[in-house]
Amino acid sequence: MKVADLFKALSYGDLSNSSIAVEATGTIKEEYHPQIIQFANDALLRIYSHFMLLRKSVFIVQDKDVHLYPLRPGEPFIEDLDFEGDVIRIHGVYNAFGQPLPLDDTRNPKSMSTPQDHVLYIPEPEHGCRLEIEYQARHPILDPKDFDQKIEIPVGLEEALKAYIAHRVFAGINTPEAIQNSTA
């Protein structure tokens, strides 16, 4: 599905009885594009947080004096210059040979842990050693001006995306009818 397809589906469907949609043409009024895209980005974050839809990895190099490794762009220990910081949750850590290392194992004193979803804690860092961090990634942020941008979700979740957007649109309108529509 592309952004243009989403606008068309919303116009003919969930938002057809609102002033935002131009039903006859299958479009959304231009002044509402940023708002709809913001709601879509919010929905995609929720969907991608709930389901493992995109798995990525990033390489870090340990420093003997550093125990906390927040996975954010620009951090000096991150090797990948194209790293976007799109981490939802860390799922695995691997050594230079691709072998899994203990993560969030409270019974293992050498286990690494995740004090926050995007932060890796290494109890005994080995200076210069490279690790691969596997993580659940978020959907790329949608741009309200790019109608050809792909929305990467399974077909079965497209209805959830559209329903969430419609809910947010109608929840923001303070009339009894709109409030009822937002909960339907």
Side-chain angles (χ1 to χ4, degrees):
M1 167 190 285
K2 292 183 178 182
V3 169
D5 300 325
L6 174 64
F7 281 2
K8 185 175 184 178
L10 289 169
S11 175
Y12 285 133
D14 297 88
L15 299 180
S16 63
N17 62 347
S18 74
S19 62
I20 292 174
V22 183
E23 189 177 349
T25 61
T27 60
I28 300 293
K29 290 180 181 175
E30 189 174 344
E31 63 264 26
Y32 294 103
H33 289 185
Q35 180 183 30
I36 298 298
I37 292 298
Q38 180 60 52
F39 295 156
N41 282 324
D42 293 346
L44 288 168
L45 179 57
R46 286 174 173 257
I47 291 169
Y48 270 65
S49 294
H50 190 73
F51 300 101
M52 174 65 89
L53 297 177
L54 183 57
R55 187 180 299 254
K56 290 184 177 181
S57 63
V58 64
F59 290 93
I60 66 167
V61 177
Q62 300 174 66
D63 182 314
K64 66 179 174 65
D65 297 323
V66 177
H67 293 276
L68 288 174
Y69 294 84
L71 300 183
R72 295 185 297 236
E75 291 288 352
F77 51 81
I78 293 179
E79 282 192 337
D80 184 356
L81 298 176
D82 296 327
F83 177 64
E84 300 172 10
D86 55 351
V87 178
I88 291 175
R89 192 172 298 109
I90 296 171
H91 280 278
V93 180
Y94 302 88
N95 66 18
F97 304 106
Q99 298 167 323
L101 299 173
L103 179 66
D104 292 326
D105 182 354
T106 56
R107 293 170 288 154
N108 185 339
K110 294 189 177 201
S111 176
M112 296 174 205
S113 62
T114 52
Q116 295 179 29
D117 289 335
H118 72 288
V119 177
L120 180 67
Y121 173 77
I122 303 175
E124 298 175 10
E126 297 179 41
H127 191 74
C129 285
R130 185 175 191 233
L131 296 176
E132 179 181 6
I133 314 301
E134 184 180 68
Y135 64 92
Q136 181 175 352
R138 67 180 296 150
H139 189 281
I141 302 294
L142 298 176
D143 179 348
K145 295 179 175 94
D146 185 357
F147 297 107
D148 289 327
Q149 188 173 9
K150 288 193 78 158
I151 300 172
E152 300 286 344
I153 59 171
V155 173
L157 293 175
E158 288 178 2
E159 283 301 315
L161 173 67
K162 293 184 291 185
Y164 181 84
I165 293 168
H167 160 73
R168 292 288 304 270
V169 166
F170 289 117
I173 303 171
N174 290 323
T175 65
E177 298 82 20
I179 293 169
Q180 185 177 357
N181 283 340
S182 77
T183 60

